[in-house]
Each structure stands twice: as C-alpha cells, then as structure tokens.
Amino acid sequence: QNWVERERRYNPSCTTVSSTLIQLWYTCMFKPISTHLMANAIWIINRVRDCSNIDASIVVNLYNSLVELAPEDMDGLRVLFRKDLGVYIRHYENPYIAAAIAYIDQRVCSLRKHTSMREYIGVLSELLTQEEQRSEVYLHPESLNPAKYALNLQFLVREVDQIYQMAGAMLEAGDDRDGLRIIYSLLKRFDGSDTLQTLQRKFISSAESDILQGCPQRPTNADSRNSDFTLTAVDYFDGKLDTYKATIHGLFQGDSNYIAALEKAFARVINSLAAKRKLATRPSRLAAEYCNLVLSKNKLQLTGPGNDTKQAVPYLCKAMQIVHAYNDKDEFFAYYKRFLAHRLLNDASISTDLEEAAISDIYITENANQTLNPEVMAIEKSDIQIMLAEVSMSNEYSCKFAQQYPGLGFGMDVKILAHDQWAGTFKSHGAHLAFPPVLTMACNLYAQFYKQTHKGRTLQWQWAISRATVQLYFPESTSRFAESGYTIVVNV
C-alpha cells in the first residue's frame, strides 16, 4: 500500500499497476481465506452478543481494512449506489447481518410459540435495540440502514398487523404504558409507514374524543358570570392538554408529529359547536373571564406582599392555551379589553405592573406561536398600553385635585378617557338624572381644574358607568355599600 502511494505521487501512469496489484491481492490472498476469516469475526461478535468479556477491536480493524483496500476497478464487486464498498459488503456486511438475524431468531423462536404476544414483543424489542447499538460499533455507517431494513423484514413485517391490533387494545384499555412504549419503539422503525401513522391517528382520535366528552357543562341555572365554573373549565382544558402531552413524552418519546397532531385535535375541540354548547359561552370569552379573575382584586388572591407579578404568569398561561387554539383571536381581545376597562375604571385591578406584564406575556407568546398577525397584535398591545397610561395619568390628576380642593367632604376619583381605545368597552348612553347639587358642584370644579392644563377640551361625563361608595354611620356601627351612580342617586 505504501509503495502504491509513492508510485502515484511520482508516476501518474501507475494507475493500472495499482489496480492490478489490488486485484491480485483480492484474488490470490483475500478471497481464499475470506470465508474462514469472517467465520472467526462472527464468532467474536457472537461472544459480544452473549456479553462475554472479549476484546472485539480486531473486528473493527478488519472492517476498516476492507473498506480502505477496496478494488476500485473490479466491476464484478461494485454495489449500486455504494461506491467502492463491494468487498466490504460482500465479505463482511452480508455475513454480519445474516449472523444477527440467526442470533435473534434463535432467542425468539421458542418465545413465539410458548409465551404471549406481549412478552414476545418485549424481548424482541430489547434484542433489536441491542443489535442496533452493536451495529453502530461493528458496521460502516452506510451499513446501518441496510441492517435495520433486513431485521425489520425478518422479524416485524410479518407481525406488524398483530402488533398494531395490540396497540389499539392497549390504547383503549389504557392500562399498559410499558407495552405501548415498546410497541411504539418497534413501529418507529417503520418511519413514515402507514402503520405508524394509523397508530398516531388512533391515539389522537381517542384523545380528542376524551377531551370533548369530559368538557364541563355549565348548569342550566348557573349565572353566566359564575367564576367557579370559569375556573373549573379552564383548569380542565389545561390539565387535559398537559396530561396528553406528558403521555406523548412518556410513551412516544416526545414525537413532534404527535404533539402537533394533538394541538390540532385540541383546536378542533375548542372551536367545536359541541364545546360551545356545553360551556354555554364562547371559549374566547371564557379565556378572557379567566384572565379577569387572575388580574382582579379579591378574586383568586394570587399575589402576596409586594404584588409579585410572576405568581400570575402560570395562571395566564392556562387561559392562553385556549386562546392559541381558538380561531378568532380578535374576539378574545375584544372581550379582554372590555374586562380590562371594567378593572381599570372600578379600581379592581391588582396592579398596573401586573396588567402590563400580562399583556406583554400574551404578546410574546402569540408572536412565538405565530397564531396572530404581528401587526394586529402590536396594535392590540398598543391600545391596551394607552388605556393603562390614561388610567395612571388620571390617578395623578385625582391626587392633585384632592390637594387643590380639600374641603369637598368626600373623595372623588375621576378617570379621563381621552382616546378611542375605550370605545366599545362600555355603554355610554343612559337616562339623564338630576344629581345632588354637591356632586354637580364637584364635577364643575374638576372640569375647571382639568381645563387649567388642557385648554380647549370638553369633558363629557359618563354617568352610566360611574360608581359611588356610601358609608352610613349608626350609633354603634357603620354600614358601607357601593353601587352604580344611578342607584346611589335614587337611594340617596
């Protein structure tokens, strides 16, 4: 070999000499001993298969030598699509694969006759996995697929129908997770096959049916704003989706095709008419109601001292599972803005920081999932940020007003809604009532105060959404109640 390399370097015309020498090596030296040589190599590998403590590195050296000393110009040894591996394939790869088949067949032949199909596939799966691991050591990389194909053809093709039937029974019973895991690993060897796709469709169909059948049904006498049902329904959908994803990771090695198919099935459930009938509301509204419960005071009591916004994120993610699956994202944001307006106008929000963190999280998540046009999402985020900014500015004005007019005798908190983002979040019309003079006077004072910094602007009071808190003092106790502005006027 060294001589040939020197000749090639200094004498370009030695190609025929090189080929002749390699042909002589193959015909006169290797071919007469190849059968005996491979028999010994297979004997060593079988000892490895039997877990004997034996050094098999010499076998690796053998196959590397056969690859390196390929007779390049011997047409009789060429193998289609696998150039210059003819000697290696005919004298090493083929005997190796035949020995692997014989070894596995010897160990599963009796099992097939005397044990259950479940035990048989368990042993077969273990043997095939071990053989694949050995092949990565003792075979050339281009031999791995042919070896896998030969083993599949010998042991799985004839059993695939029975394996699939067993998988279907296990999916329906749901009591043999280890068995399903083994079956999946066997069928995974047929990547892209109809059998594997059929197993996936059956699993996803079963999951979709289970999620829809277990969907909570709102009681006929329940209030449409019942917070307990909202919590139950969102927790149910989130729990079901997480459970099936965990099942896919446990049984099917986290197969991305299964995850994608599951998410599509979940979306079909969320958008189905049957789910809307059971929930007695649109899923988009359900998700918005859940976000409202998370972000409102005295609802879920999520935050502790300091209003740590991170505590709310996992709860918001539950609602976003539904939003991701729902087709009409605009519908969700319309409900979300309506509930947000209610929280902001009634000082019901836990904190402005939490509101900003919530919409930022929704924005980031939706962009990552590419479920909404980025331009539309940016507009929605901008609208909500404008609403938050206006409420924050209004609170500053209320503090300054209270300092400038401390003798009113009651507290007055005014929200200035200057932009169109509030449109549609509340009903601005309502019957005109004669408010008490003291309240009318206070409104006129605030209008004068506001015009000091915003000349030319006119305030139009929205009595329909105004609220008031009244405290009554009795000799031994006090009573406090909050109602709409109209109700307070009538009562007082």
Side-chain angles (χ1 to χ4, degrees):
Q1 193 175 30
N2 292 335
W3 177 82
V4 169
E5 289 299 324
R6 287 197 302 272
E7 288 297 313
R8 283 178 172 172
R9 187 180 306 169
Y10 300 111
N11 184 7
S13 64
C14 78
T15 305
T16 56
V17 177
S18 169
S19 300
T20 302
L21 287 174
I22 294 178
Q23 291 177 21
L24 287 173
W25 166 82
Y26 173 75
T27 305
C28 301
M29 297 183 63
F30 177 74
K31 195 172 181 180
I33 66 169
S34 61
T35 303
H36 183 67
L37 184 66
M38 281 309 304
N40 283 276
I42 295 301
W43 181 88
I44 294 174
I45 294 172
N46 281 337
R47 299 291 75 75
V48 175
R49 290 187 175 108
D50 290 331
C51 302
S52 299
N53 187 14
I54 188 171
D55 183 11
S57 59
I58 191 173
V59 177
V60 179
N61 295 335
L62 172 62
Y63 100 67
N64 285 328
S65 298
L66 297 182
V67 172
E68 292 173 6
L69 294 173
E72 299 173 2
D73 295 325
M74 296 181 65
D75 294 334
L77 285 174
R78 287 188 178 276
V79 177
L80 191 62
F81 304 123
R82 301 171 72 187
K83 183 180 179 182
D84 299 335
L85 289 176
V87 172
Y88 161 79
I89 292 171
R90 295 174 187 275
H91 295 280
Y92 184 89
E93 178 188 294
N94 292 344
Y96 181 98
I97 294 175
I101 291 174
Y103 178 84
I104 296 176
D105 189 59
Q106 182 182 355
R107 280 153 180 75
V108 300
C109 183
S110 59
L111 285 175
R112 187 69 183 88
K113 297 177 181 179
H114 300 99
T115 62
S116 65
M117 187 65 176
R118 169 66 176 81
E119 294 179 18
Y120 168 75
I121 64 170
V123 175
L124 178 60
S125 175
E126 184 177 358
L127 290 172
L128 291 175
T129 300
Q130 293 172 355
E131 193 58 44
E132 278 195 355
Q133 294 171 350
R134 280 190 290 269
S135 296
E136 293 177 358
V137 178
Y138 299 112
L139 286 179
H140 188 273
E142 291 194 19
S143 300
L144 298 181
N145 282 335
K148 181 178 180 179
Y149 175 80
L151 292 174
N152 288 350
L153 186 64
Q154 180 68 25
F155 296 106
L156 294 180
V157 170
R158 63 188 179 188
E159 309 285 0
V160 71
D161 290 337
Q162 285 184 275
I163 292 175
Y164 172 68
Q165 291 175 4
M166 183 184 299
M170 289 179 177
L171 282 173
E172 291 179 2
D175 57 356
D176 191 355
R177 297 174 65 87
D178 290 336
L180 270 177
R181 191 180 298 110
I182 291 171
I183 288 176
Y184 174 77
S185 67
L186 290 175
L187 296 181
K188 186 68 175 175
R189 297 171 67 91
F190 295 95
D191 271 338
S193 69
D194 292 339
T195 300
L196 190 60
Q197 293 175 3
T198 302
L199 178 64
Q200 174 183 311
R201 286 194 295 269
K202 188 173 183 65
F203 174 79
I204 297 301
S205 176
S206 174
E208 181 177 350
S209 176
D210 177 52
I211 295 173
L212 183 57
Q213 289 180 2
C215 174
Q217 185 163 0
R218 190 187 298 270
T220 55
N221 58 345
D223 185 355
S224 61
R225 296 172 293 179
N226 188 322
S227 59
D228 291 338
F229 179 80
T230 300
L231 296 175
T232 300
V234 174
D235 287 344
Y236 168 80
F237 286 120
D238 177 71
K240 277 293 185 181
L241 191 58
D242 287 347
T243 298
Y244 277 108
K245 284 184 177 179
T247 301
I248 290 173
H249 283 286
L251 299 184
F252 308 121
Q253 303 170 11
D255 192 317
S256 58
N257 292 327
Y258 275 70
I259 296 291
L262 175 65
E263 290 176 347
K264 289 181 180 179
F266 182 72
R268 287 194 295 271
V269 171
I270 292 298
N271 290 281
S272 68
L273 184 60
K276 293 177 182 178
R277 286 173 176 170
K278 284 190 171 185
L279 298 172
T281 187
R282 296 177 182 274
S284 56
R285 181 184 176 92
L286 184 76
E289 286 176 349
Y290 190 87
C291 292
N292 185 54
L293 293 173
V294 173
L295 299 171
S296 296
K297 294 178 182 178
N298 304 320
K299 295 292 185 179
L300 300 185
Q301 297 292 339
L302 299 179
T303 58
N307 288 333
D308 183 8
T309 59
K310 293 182 179 179
Q311 296 185 38
V313 172
Y315 292 89
L316 293 175
C317 289
K318 292 182 178 182
M320 293 314 297
Q321 297 270 35
I322 297 176
V323 178
H324 298 332
Y326 196 63
N327 289 336
D328 194 347
K329 304 293 190 298
D330 292 340
E331 190 175 85
F332 164 77
F333 283 108
Y335 285 122
Y336 186 91
K337 287 169 67 175
R338 192 177 304 171
F339 285 117
L340 172 64
H342 181 271
R343 292 194 299 273
L344 296 178
L345 296 179
N346 293 283
D347 292 323
S349 176
I350 293 177
S351 73
T352 304
D353 291 340
L354 183 55
E355 295 287 359
E356 291 179 350
I359 189 59
S360 296
D361 181 65
I362 293 172
Y363 177 74
I364 293 172
T365 306
E366 289 297 325
N367 274 345
N369 286 275
Q370 298 180 349
T371 55
L372 191 65
N373 186 321
E375 295 181 0
V376 175
M377 186 64 216
I379 293 173
E380 295 288 356
K381 182 182 179 183
S382 176
D383 288 351
I384 292 175
Q385 288 176 333
I386 289 173
M387 295 168 70
L388 293 171
E390 287 196 343
V391 169
S392 178
M393 187 175 294
S394 297
N395 292 337
E396 294 179 8
Y397 286 153
S398 294
C399 291
K400 292 179 180 179
F401 177 72
Q403 293 172 1
Q404 189 168 336
Y405 298 97
L408 287 178
F410 57 86
M412 186 171 179
D413 179 26
V414 180
K415 299 292 190 295
I416 305 295
L417 316 180
H419 290 80
D420 294 336
Q421 281 72 19
W422 299 93
T425 59
F426 57 84
K427 296 179 180 180
S428 59
H429 61 276
H432 178 72
L433 294 178
F435 279 78
V438 64
L439 186 56
T440 303
M441 177 197 68
C443 291
N444 292 334
L445 287 176
Y446 189 90
Q448 295 175 11
F449 162 78
Y450 183 73
K451 290 179 180 180
Q452 291 174 3
T453 54
H454 298 280
K455 295 181 180 179
R457 292 190 181 182
T458 302
L459 295 180
Q460 182 179 358
W461 295 92
Q462 301 293 329
W463 300 114
I465 58 172
S466 297
R467 294 181 65 81
T469 300
V470 176
Q471 184 162 303
L472 305 178
Y473 296 89
F474 297 96
E476 297 181 356
S477 64
T478 59
S479 177
R480 184 187 180 105
F481 61 93
E483 294 290 349
S484 69
Y486 285 150
T487 305
I488 292 296
V489 169
V490 173
N491 289 340
V492 173

